[in-house]
């Protein structure tokens, strides 16, 4: 019999995963529930440098995008950030979960801050 709720326990050490990566802001959009209620923002970032040492040397996440969901913050709060220019950090991680058929997707609820600010 399949277990229920198991994916809720497949967490990732997000701090370790992001340690040797540089993330740059792309855009922010509203984060809404399935019922249409606005929950906050989704901030999309792009990995523009990945110096992580993976088990397989050919592995690299350069150019990949991440979506960070941020509770109770409107997308307009990120209006001064410049796409592909503003480097950001993921902070105050509430949840980071691996999901997907191939376990290669990442769901993140956290905060985003401008690096050096």
């Amino acid at each position: 019999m399949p277990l229920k709720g198991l994916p809720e326990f497949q967490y990732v050490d997000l701090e370790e995963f992001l340690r040797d990566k540089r993330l740059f802001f792309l855009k922010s959009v509203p984060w809404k529930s399935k019922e249409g209620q606005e929950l906050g923002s989704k901030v999309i970032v792009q990995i523009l440098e990945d110096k992580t040492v993976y088990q397989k040397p050919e592995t690299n996440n350069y150019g990949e995008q991440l979506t960070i969901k941020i509770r109770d913050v409107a997308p307009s709060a990120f209006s001064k950030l410049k796409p592909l220019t503003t480097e950001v950090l993921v902070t105050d991680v509430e949840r980071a979960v691996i999901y997907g058929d191939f376990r290669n997707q990442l769901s993140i609820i956290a905060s985003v801050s401008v690096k050096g600010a």
Side-chain angles (χ1 to χ4, degrees), residues 23-29 41-46 68 70 73-90 111-117:
L23 308 176
F24 287 81
F25 174 83
L26 282 179
K27 66 180 180 177
S28 62
V29 296
S41 297
K42 290 182 183 179
V43 172
I44 294 92
V45 300
Q46 188 160 14
I68 296 96
I70 304 167
V73 178
S76 60
F78 304 98
S79 63
K80 294 188 188 239
L81 304 185
K82 302 206 180 324
L84 296 174
T85 302
T86 305
E87 187 171 1
V88 297
L89 300 170
V90 177
S111 296
V112 170
S113 62
V114 175
K115 186 171 182 179

Side-chain angles (χ1 to χ4, degrees), residues 7 10 97-106:
Q10 295 186 10
V97 179
I98 299 169
Y99 72 98
D101 291 341
F102 299 103
R103 314 311 295 159
N104 62 352
Q105 300 294 313
L106 191 54

Side-chain angles (χ1 to χ4, degrees), residues 2 19 47 49 51 54 60 65 71-72 84 98 107:
R19 182 177 316 281
I47 300 170
E49 182 175 280
K51 293 184 177 181
Y54 297 96
N60 194 296
Q65 294 179 6
R71 292 189 192 279
D72 303 320
L84 296 174
I98 299 169
S107 174

